[in-house]
């Protein structure tokens, strides 16, 4: 019997990680990432296996076996993982569906591994005839690790594969197998680099739109300056940004609103954030759930077909604005209630929605109408929209193009509502 050992090196290209399960269901403000008994960040092998299997398509059963009526053992075994790197933390907010603003007290802070974190995956393959198929899968694999995938978290790429085959039918092979053991069997001296087959990379379709800030934007990360107490902006790599989770929350709630206003069945339940923040306890059967994903109890659910990434703000002018809190009863300035916040007064940003799988014309239409609502100022972005902040304007469409998008979106919706398949 020949056993092939493969070491797959991954690198996170966006923040990622798996939350510790014991804290997952709580309201704890600090969601720590899972750690091993030595305190090191840990990615469960099952999480990697799930992501690999999801990309395997028709080869899934052959490579990973099946459980059920006809149980087949998995020829590919995930032996373990190792993580090298530090932890970063970032706040995420839930969006109130009705106001499309960050819900009160909804701020959650969760820990994540920083982009650039390297993760090593140790695999074992017990049927060497399946090696070409496994390598083909690794070449096509776009690894997704942990939760928050639909808001741009947990994306990774394969940076290298090393491997060796041990023939347990020979004395040398048996000696190596019994004598070495452990991660050392996967080390640089014990393995050879393996070139993955050239495959046309799966390039997902991306809906891109370009925007500029009209009045000002404040999307806080839940942090305040120690000295001045002013509310700071959420940043990525030094640049203020609109997080993918903010885009997703606003567009989902706006799409729900538009579809609901056409008397279509759509879930409008209040938002309940899951452990990793991106999925909600919602109906699971409407058009919106199908496109934006949902999570029910007992692991039921569907992933989002729409992936929203962070939008860094280019050429940003950041100022500090002072506010006087108004007394709710007298309408006058409440004594001493002065507060300050960072605001991006001007800048440019790009919204990218990556499509994962088939997205219907109705959903595309709804998204375009929701974007048009943002453009025309009907829907604001971020906090403080009631104080005249949060207006964005599209810069990549002429009025004629905008009108064209609106018309085709309206037709797509009309066909859906009237059941006309044309
Ligand atoms: Zn629903």
């Amino acid at each position: 019997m020949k056993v092939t050992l493969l070491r797959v090196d991954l690198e996170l290209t966006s923040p990622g990680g798996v939350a510790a399960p014991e804290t997952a269901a709580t309201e704890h403000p600090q969601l720590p990432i899972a750690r091993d008994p030595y305190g090191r960040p840990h990615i469960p092998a099952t999480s990697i296996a799930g992501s690999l299997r999801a990309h395997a398509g028709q080869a899934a059963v052959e490579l990973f076996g099946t459980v059920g009526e006809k149980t087949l053992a998995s020829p590919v075994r995930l032996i373990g993982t190792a993580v090298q790197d530090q932890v970063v933390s970032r706040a995420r907010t839930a969006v109130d569906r009705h106001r499309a603003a960050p819900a009160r007290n909804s701020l959650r802070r969760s820990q994540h591994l920083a982009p650039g974190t390297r993760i090593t995956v140790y695999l074992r393959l017990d049927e060497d005839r399946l090696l070409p198929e496994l390598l083909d899968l690794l070449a096509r694999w776009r690894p997704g690790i942990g939760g928050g995938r639909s808001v741009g978290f947990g994306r990774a790429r394969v940076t290298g594969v090393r491997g060796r085959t041990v023939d347990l039918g020979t004395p040398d092979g048996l000696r190596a197998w019994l004598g070495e053991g452990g991660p050392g069997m996967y080390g640089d001296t014990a393995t050879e680099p393996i070139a993955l087959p050239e495959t046309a990379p799966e390039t997902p379709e991306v809906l891109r739109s370009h925007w500029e800030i009209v009045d000002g934007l404040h999307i806080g990360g839940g942090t305040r300056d120690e000295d001045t107490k002013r509310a700071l902006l959420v940043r990525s790599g030094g640049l203020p940004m609109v997080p993918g989770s903010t885009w997703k929350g606003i567009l989902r709630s706006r799409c729900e609103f538009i579809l609901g206003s056409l008397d279509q069945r759509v879930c409008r339940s209040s938002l309940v954030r899951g452990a990793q923040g991106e999925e909600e306890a919602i109906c699971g059967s409407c058009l919106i759930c199908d496109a934006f994903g949902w999570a029910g109890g007992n692991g039921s659910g569907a992933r989002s077909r729409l992936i929203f990434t962070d939008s860094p703000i280019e050429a940003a002018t950041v100022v500090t604005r002072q506010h006087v809190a108004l007394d709710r009863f007298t309408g006058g300035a409440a004594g001493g209630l002065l507060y300050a916040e960072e605001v991006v007064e001007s800048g440019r940003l790009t919204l990218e929605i990556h499509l994962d799988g088939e997205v219907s014309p109705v959903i595309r239409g709804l998204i375009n109408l929701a974007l048009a609502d943002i453009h025309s100022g009907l829907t604001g972005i971020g906090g403080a929209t009631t104080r005249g902040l949060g207006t964005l304007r599209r810069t990549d469409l002429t009025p004629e193009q905008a009108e064209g998008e609106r018309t085709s979106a309206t037709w797509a919706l009309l066909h859906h509502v009237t059941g006309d398949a044309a």
Side-chain angles (χ1 to χ4, degrees), residues 267 283-286 289:
C267 62
C283 86
S285 58
C286 71
C289 282

Side-chain angles (χ1 to χ4, degrees), residues 33-371:
I33 59 164
R35 290 177 185 276
D36 69 12
Y38 305 100
R40 295 173 301 206
H42 175 62
I43 308 245
T46 48
S47 162
I48 303 281
S51 171
L52 254 182
R53 191 185 178 114
H55 278 79
Q58 294 188 329
V61 171
E62 192 171 22
L63 288 173
F64 297 98
T66 180
V67 180
E69 260 175 48
K70 205 172 131 229
T71 299
L72 287 172
S74 170
V76 178
R77 293 199 230 167
L78 272 283
I79 303 300
T81 64
V83 177
Q84 295 97 15
D85 232 324
Q86 84 282 23
V87 169
V88 292
S89 78
R90 164 147 136 214
R92 297 169 69 184
T93 51
V95 169
D96 184 304
R97 259 153 216 265
H98 306 291
R99 297 186 303 128
R104 257 164 181 272
N105 305 322
S106 67
L107 205 61
R108 303 281 159 75
R109 185 164 285 282
S110 53
Q111 286 186 330
H112 295 283
L113 297 168
T117 298
R118 285 168 299 120
I119 298 161
T120 310
V121 179
Y122 303 103
L123 294 172
R124 167 181 167 176
L125 175 67
D126 286 353
E127 290 181 37
D128 64 345
R129 67 179 178 89
L130 292 175
L131 185 59
E133 204 150 8
L134 180 57
L135 293 179
D136 181 62
L137 169 59
L138 290 173
R140 286 185 290 114
W141 190 27
R142 282 181 288 125
I145 292 162
R149 234 85 52 75
S150 68
V151 291
F153 280 68
R155 297 197 295 178
R157 65 187 187 94
V158 177
T159 57
V161 178
R162 300 182 69 92
R164 70 190 282 192
T165 297
V166 182
D167 189 346
L168 299 183
T170 67
D172 275 355
L174 209 54
R175 202 174 300 123
W177 187 250
L178 297 172
E180 297 175 34
M185 293 196 79
Y186 292 86
D188 282 353
T189 51
T191 53
E192 298 288 331
I194 296 178
L196 292 178
E198 296 275 337
T199 58
E202 287 177 34
T203 44
E205 190 185 345
V206 181
L207 307 179
R208 224 176 247 106
S209 52
H210 300 280
W211 302 81
E212 67 185 6
I213 294 168
V214 176
D215 40 22
L217 208 56
H218 175 80
I219 299 176
T223 50
R224 287 184 179 274
D225 188 286
E226 282 295 320
D227 301 324
T228 62
K229 300 285 177 242
R230 84 206 142 112
L232 299 176
L233 295 164
V234 60
R235 284 185 162 80
S236 166
L239 288 182
M241 62 146 175
V242 177
S245 54
T246 299
W247 285 122
K248 187 185 180 192
I250 286 164
L251 287 170
R252 176 169 192 149
S253 94
R254 197 66 201 168
C255 288
E256 279 179 1
F257 176 82
I258 297 168
L259 201 57
S261 67
L262 295 168
D263 269 347
Q264 297 294 295
R265 195 183 65 78
V266 63
C267 62
R268 303 289 302 276
S269 59
S270 63
L271 195 64
V272 181
R273 288 272 154 180
Q276 290 277 325
E278 90 282 23
E279 304 296 10
E280 305 86 27
I282 38 191
C283 86
S285 58
C286 71
L287 215 55
I288 303 291
C289 282
D290 180 59
F292 287 81
W294 60 282
N298 303 324
S300 62
R303 68 182 171 165
S304 176
R305 297 167 189 267
L306 308 167
I307 316 286
F308 297 84
T309 57
D310 293 345
S311 303
I313 300 170
E314 309 282 343
T317 328
V318 179
V319 298
T320 295
R321 285 194 188 167
Q322 301 278 350
H323 296 275
V324 177
L326 288 184
D327 188 301
R328 256 160 229 269
F329 301 103
T330 66
L337 288 180
L338 196 68
Y339 65 98
E341 64 187 3
E342 275 192 313
V343 171
V344 194
E345 276 196 328
S346 63
R348 298 185 306 270
L349 60 158
T350 301
L351 164 63
E352 287 193 352
I353 309 172
H354 298 246
L355 307 190
D356 188 1
E358 214 40 55
V359 174
S360 68
V362 187
I363 291 296
R364 289 166 190 263
L366 281 170
I367 287 171
N368 279 335
L369 290 175
L371 294 180

Side-chain angles (χ1 to χ4, degrees), residues 20-40:
E22 66 274 15
T23 58
T26 69
E27 294 282 308
H28 202 282
Q30 203 76 27
L31 276 181
I33 59 164
R35 290 177 185 276
D36 69 12
Y38 305 100
R40 295 173 301 206

